[in-house]
């Protein structure tokens, strides 16, 4: 897959590349006032939702095509590049006709291969940057599939947006970041720029900074932050939007760390620590192996005595104990639970093979 650098978009790709603007375009005045504030911060790309795919009916679904004029005004007045979300072929044609510079595919659209293909077909022959948000569900294959469909239309100015994943039970954030999905996307598509959307992960303006910092610490290329001249009155996503001044505060606070260092001492000590980690990882695997040998013994005993594999009482005990240990050792419960779930699954698989051999 051919992927051009961010520079080819006509922007300075220094991290973080910042895209900012309101969740939804509401009026010319709101757009221009917000854009002026963001331009003053050095923001290079102005975003605004023209067509809004809303989860429930009877919510504000965007002003639609008339808002494209306002994006054009923003571009003319500030010189910022403009970006909007497209979900249908009609959106693509109208946005391109009105000179929108960058298109993105929203999370609800990238979850639907028919919709993505319709957008891709409409993009044939266009030379426009396209950013693909992750689908609402944590399915890396589906996300990559959406990117591949757009690439298949000949689009080479590509990027991804990480906006988190929806969950039935709400945690600290509106959407779960599940950073490991993004790390894996980067491993599978190393040339693809990745932009973090802390606004839709957070769902609340108070968390924008911490998520942005995490994204920078993981080496992501940019941030797309929702900004509104008057967040409290916003017609969509009011809770998570920042004023342009607040976006400035977040950006000023960010610490951008280097990918590598020339410092010899630092490199040496890092090497040594990594060697230690390698040895410890090996120890961990050896212990797992020993554990699984015991599991096999149990499996044989169960087979001889005709006992079922899953003993849920015993399993509940292990999880409870692990949670207590997590607190003592300063690990998160999630980490310890995940490890024990994985160990338990592998143990069941091993015993299954024994019982059925
Ligand atoms: C948006 O960017 O305003 C939006 C609708 O985001 P998402 O598709 O990530 O929900
Ligand atoms: Mn939004």
């Amino acid at each position: 897959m051919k992927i051009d650098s961010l520079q080819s978009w006509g922007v300075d790709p220094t991290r973080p590349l910042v895209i900012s603007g309101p969740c939804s375009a509401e009026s010319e005045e709101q757009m221009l006032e917000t854009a002026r504030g963001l331009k003053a911060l050095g923001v290079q790309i102005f975003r605004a939702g023209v067509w809004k795919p809303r989860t429930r009916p009877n919510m504000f679904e965007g002003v639609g095509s008339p808002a494209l004029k306002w994006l054009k005004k923003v571009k003319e007045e500030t010189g910022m590049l403009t970006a909007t979300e497209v979900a249908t072929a009609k959106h693509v044609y109208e946005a391109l006709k009105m000179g929108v510079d960058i298109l993105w595919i929203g999370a609800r659209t990238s979850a639907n291969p028919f919709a993505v293909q319709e957008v891709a077909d409409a993009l044939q022959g266009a030379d426009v940057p396209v950013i693909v948000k992750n689908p609402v569900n944590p399915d890396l294959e589906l996300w990559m599939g959406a990117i591949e469909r757009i690439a298949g239309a000949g689009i080479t100015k590509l990027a991804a947006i990480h906006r988190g994943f929806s969950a039935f039970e709400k945690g600290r954030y509106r959407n779960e970041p599940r950073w490991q999905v993004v790390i894996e996307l980067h491993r599978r598509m190393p040339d693809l720029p990745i932009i973090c959307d802390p606004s839709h992960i957070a769902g609340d303006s108070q968390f924008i900074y911490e998520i942005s910092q995490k994204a920078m610490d993981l080496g992501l290329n940019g941030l797309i932050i929702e900004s509104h001249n008057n967040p409290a009155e916003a017609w969509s996503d009011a809770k998570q939007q920042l004023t342009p001044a607040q976006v400035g505060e977040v950006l000023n606070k960010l610490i951008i760390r280097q990918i590598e260092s020339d410092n010899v001492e630092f490199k040496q000590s890092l090497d040594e620590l990594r060697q230690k980690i390698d040895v410890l990882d090996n120890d961990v695997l050896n212990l797992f192996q020993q554990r699984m040998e015991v599991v096999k013994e149990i499996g044989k005993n169960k087979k001889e005595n005709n006992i079922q594999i899953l003993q849920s009482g015993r399993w509940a005990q292990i999880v409870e104990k692990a949670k207590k240990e997590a607190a003592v050792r300063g690990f998160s419960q999630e980490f310890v639970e995940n490890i024990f779930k994985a160990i338990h699954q592998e143990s069941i698989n091993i015993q299954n093979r024994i019982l059925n051999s």
Side-chain angles (χ1 to χ4, degrees):
M1 192 190 316
K2 187 171 175 297
I3 299 173
D4 296 336
S5 71
L6 285 172
Q7 236 151 344
S8 73
W9 296 21
V11 294
D12 169 4
T14 308
R15 284 195 311 141
L17 170 67
V18 181
I19 304 173
S20 190
C23 177
S24 303
E26 297 167 9
S27 69
E28 182 175 316
E29 195 193 0
Q30 167 241 13
M31 294 275 274
L32 285 172
E33 196 177 321
T34 309
R36 287 177 197 130
L38 293 170
K39 172 68 182 180
L41 303 173
V43 171
Q44 299 182 72
I45 304 172
F46 183 81
R47 65 148 282 160
V50 168
W51 301 280
K52 303 297 299 178
R54 305 311 299 278
T55 302
R56 306 286 297 270
N58 306 320
M59 295 164 97
F60 169 61
E61 294 195 319
V63 167
S65 313
L68 293 168
K69 287 194 301 286
W70 307 332
L71 270 177
K72 200 168 183 184
K73 272 233 158 119
V74 166
K75 184 184 163 86
E76 283 164 5
E77 192 187 303
T78 67
M80 279 189 277
L81 298 181
T82 55
T84 201
E85 171 173 351
V86 291
T88 67
K90 177 176 163 282
H91 296 166
V92 173
Y93 298 137
E94 292 198 10
L96 292 181
K97 195 174 74 192
M98 288 298 283
V100 177
D101 300 288
I102 297 165
L103 307 179
W104 84 78
I105 296 181
R108 288 159 197 78
T109 305
S110 55
N112 177 352
F114 287 126
V116 175
Q117 193 58 52
E118 179 185 321
V119 168
D121 292 344
L123 283 165
Q124 279 286 349
D127 180 26
V128 62
V130 178
I131 323 181
V132 182
K133 284 195 160 195
N134 66 259
V136 279
N137 51 327
D139 185 337
L140 178 59
E141 295 292 320
L142 195 57
W143 194 1
M144 289 175 59
I147 295 162
E148 286 160 355
R149 284 176 198 277
I150 302 302
I155 299 293
T156 52
K157 297 184 174 97
L158 283 163
I161 291 178
H162 167 231
R163 50 79 78 200
F165 304 93
S166 57
F168 177 61
E169 306 214 30
K170 292 285 170 244
R172 178 177 178 83
Y173 303 142
R174 174 179 175 190
N175 288 292
E176 291 178 352
R178 296 191 183 236
W179 296 100
Q180 65 275 25
V181 180
V182 189
I183 293 167
E184 182 61 12
L185 175 68
H186 178 58
R187 195 183 70 77
R188 305 262 301 264
M189 297 183 158
D191 296 335
L192 182 75
I194 305 180
I195 293 160
C196 178
D197 178 344
S199 305
H200 289 89
I201 293 176
D204 190 318
S205 55
Q206 65 175 313
F207 301 130
I208 307 291
Y209 167 70
E210 65 183 45
I211 298 167
S212 303
Q213 183 63 58
K214 173 100 186 202
M216 289 302 101
D217 289 344
L218 288 176
L220 301 199
N221 302 82
L223 298 167
I224 176 165
I225 302 178
E226 284 188 339
S227 176
H228 191 290
N229 58 333
N230 184 2
E233 298 295 320
W235 298 356
S236 60
D237 288 351
K239 243 180 104 185
Q240 70 196 32
Q241 303 206 58
L242 300 178
T243 62
Q246 289 169 324
V247 172
E249 283 164 27
V250 167
L251 297 179
N252 279 334
K253 248 195 338 187
L254 280 182
I255 299 166
I256 308 298
R257 296 174 227 274
Q258 304 306 309
I259 299 174
E260 276 178 328
S261 158
D262 298 330
N263 182 324
V264 180
E265 252 171 66
F266 164 77
K267 278 187 170 171
Q268 226 165 28
S269 105
L270 187 64
D271 267 353
E272 282 165 16
L273 291 171
R274 284 183 170 159
Q275 279 168 20
K276 270 193 197 170
I277 295 260
D278 288 347
V279 170
L280 287 168
D281 279 350
N282 209 43
D283 289 351
V284 169
L285 285 176
N286 283 339
L287 280 172
F288 280 155
Q289 199 177 356
Q290 285 175 32
R291 187 193 194 277
M292 293 311 169
E293 290 305 323
V294 178
V295 165
K296 282 181 197 164
E297 283 298 308
I298 296 180
K300 283 182 205 150
N301 285 342
K302 282 184 184 165
K303 183 172 183 174
E304 276 160 22
N305 294 285
N306 209 22
I307 304 288
Q308 71 171 30
I309 296 175
L310 186 61
Q311 305 281 330
S312 43
R314 165 74 181 147
W315 170 233
Q317 252 177 19
I318 291 180
V319 172
E320 271 324 298
K321 184 155 169 258
K323 280 188 185 166
K324 284 198 191 111
E325 287 289 325
V328 174
R329 292 166 197 258
F331 295 145
S332 70
Q333 289 212 348
E334 187 196 12
F335 169 65
V336 176
E337 259 189 75
N338 282 341
I339 289 182
F340 275 90
K341 273 187 196 150
I343 294 173
H344 187 237
Q345 188 56 53
E346 183 69 5
S347 305
I348 287 180
N349 294 347
I350 288 173
Q351 293 194 7
N352 230 331
R353 282 201 292 273
I354 292 175
L355 256 69
N356 294 304
S357 64

